[in-house]
């Protein structure tokens, strides 16, 4: 395939990925707001995602990679912060003193890398940590679903978009920089996102079947009572 055509295709895929990520966490956020509940969603998982996406954003930025190859990171980060806010709000943790302290420390570290107060070489050593961080975050989501045997608070659309964008990024990173560390991260992330999606689908279907069984039992019980009443009459 002609190199110019490949680059154009990669740019198109990148644009699609970025546009998709504009809505990545939105279904999950709307789900949380509608139910006023974060059951099965762990703050630890979101914090791991924030650390991972921040490292990846700074790594790409300091290495002067094409903006289209990583623009979704800050977009997703913003959505995770919104999701974290509502999670802290509904868990009644928003007023804890550690929240503003952690926020200020986070901003200070990010600005230190952007302004080159901290050497960018540190990020090269941190990038390999993003794969296990992403993995642990998604495993935590799966654990949360399995623990309560319920996935009603999980948005399937969020994880479908996650799988699609990770697979798209495998291609765009290969074309732009062929950075093996980034490609491996996207590959593992896609597999684990599928794991969360499959787990959520299973438990949502399981819950629906369980609810249907309960309705059948109630109907059967009502019919038995009616028959018993008719027999007594």
């Amino acid at each position: 395939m002609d190199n110019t055509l490949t680059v154009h295709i990669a740019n198109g895929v990148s644009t699609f990925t970025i546009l998709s990520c504009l809505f990545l966490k939105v279904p999950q956020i709307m789900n949380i707001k509608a139910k006023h509940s974060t059951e099965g969603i762990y703050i630890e998982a979101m914090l791991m995602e924030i650390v991972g996406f921040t490292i990846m954003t700074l790594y790409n930025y300091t290495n002067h990679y094409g903006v289209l190859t990583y623009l979704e990171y800050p977009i997703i980060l913003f959505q995770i912060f919104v999701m974290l806010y509502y999670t802290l709000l509904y868990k009644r943790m928003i007023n804890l003193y550690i929240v503003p302290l952690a926020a200020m420390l986070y901003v200070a570290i990010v600005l230190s890398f952007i302004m080159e107060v901290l050497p960018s070489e540190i990020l090269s050593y941190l990038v390999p940590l993003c794969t296990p961080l992403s993995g642990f975050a998604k495993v935590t989501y799966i654990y949360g679903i399995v623990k309560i045997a319920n996935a009603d608070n999980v948005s399937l659309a969020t994880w479908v978009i996650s799988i699609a964008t990770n697979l798209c990024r495998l291609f765009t990173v290969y074309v732009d920089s062929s950075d093996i560390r980034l490609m491996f991260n996207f590959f593992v992330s896609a597999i684990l996102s599928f794991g969360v999606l499959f787990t959520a689908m299973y438990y949502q279907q399981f819950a629906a079947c369980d609810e249907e069984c309960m309705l059948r039992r109630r109907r059967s019980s009502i019919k038995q009572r009616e028959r018993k009443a008719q027999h007594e009459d």
Side-chain angles (χ1 to χ4, degrees), residues 113-160:
F113 278 112
I114 292 175
M115 298 172 68
E116 299 184 353
V117 175
L118 292 174
S120 59
E121 287 76 15
I122 295 175
L123 296 168
S124 298
Y125 296 102
L126 294 178
V127 165
L129 297 177
C130 292
T131 300
L133 274 174
S134 176
F136 283 131
K138 291 177 174 64
V139 169
T140 303
Y141 281 123
I142 294 172
Y143 172 76
I145 296 169
V146 174
K147 184 179 179 180
I148 63 173
N150 187 295
D152 288 345
N153 287 328
V154 178
S155 169
L156 300 183
T158 291
W159 294 103
V160 169

Side-chain angles (χ1 to χ4, degrees), residues 11 14-15 17-18 56-57 60-61 63-75 169 172 176:
N11 288 337
S14 291
T15 303
T17 302
I18 292 166
M56 296 298 284
T57 301
N60 280 274
Y61 175 79
N63 279 283
H64 307 290
Y65 289 156
V67 175
L68 284 178
T69 65
Y70 70 91
L71 184 58
E72 74 271 17
Y73 290 134
I75 292 173
R169 275 302 174 215
T172 60
D176 184 70

Side-chain angles (χ1 to χ4, degrees), residues 44-94:
E44 293 85 352
M46 281 181 280
L47 293 178
M48 284 187 279
E49 284 188 319
I50 288 171
V51 172
F53 283 125
T54 300
I55 291 172
M56 296 298 284
T57 301
L58 292 172
Y59 176 77
N60 280 274
Y61 175 79
T62 55
N63 279 283
H64 307 290
Y65 289 156
V67 175
L68 284 178
T69 65
Y70 70 91
L71 184 58
E72 74 271 17
Y73 290 134
I75 292 173
I76 296 172
L77 268 173
F78 175 76
Q79 295 175 54
I80 296 174
F81 283 130
V82 174
M83 186 174 160
L84 179 62
Y85 167 78
Y86 283 110
T87 301
L88 292 172
L89 181 66
Y90 294 134
K91 288 183 181 291
R92 299 181 180 178
M93 299 171 64
I94 196 71

Side-chain angles (χ1 to χ4, degrees), residues 94-113:
I94 196 71
N95 293 320
L96 294 178
Y97 72 92
I98 196 172
V99 174
L101 290 177
M104 287 188 289
L105 177 62
Y106 171 83
V107 172
I109 293 174
V110 170
L111 289 177
S112 295
F113 278 112

Side-chain angles (χ1 to χ4, degrees), residues 7-55:
V7 171
H8 284 312
I9 292 173
N11 288 337
V13 172
S14 291
T15 303
F16 168 77
T17 302
I18 292 166
L19 291 175
S20 298
C21 287
L22 287 172
F23 307 97
L24 179 63
K25 298 289 184 179
V26 172
Q28 185 68 72
I29 293 169
M30 298 303 293
N31 208 24
I32 292 172
K33 286 186 65 178
K35 296 186 178 182
H36 288 73
S37 172
T38 57
E39 187 179 22
I41 296 175
Y42 284 72
I43 292 175
E44 293 85 352
M46 281 181 280
L47 293 178
M48 284 187 279
E49 284 188 319
I50 288 171
V51 172
F53 283 125
T54 300
I55 291 172

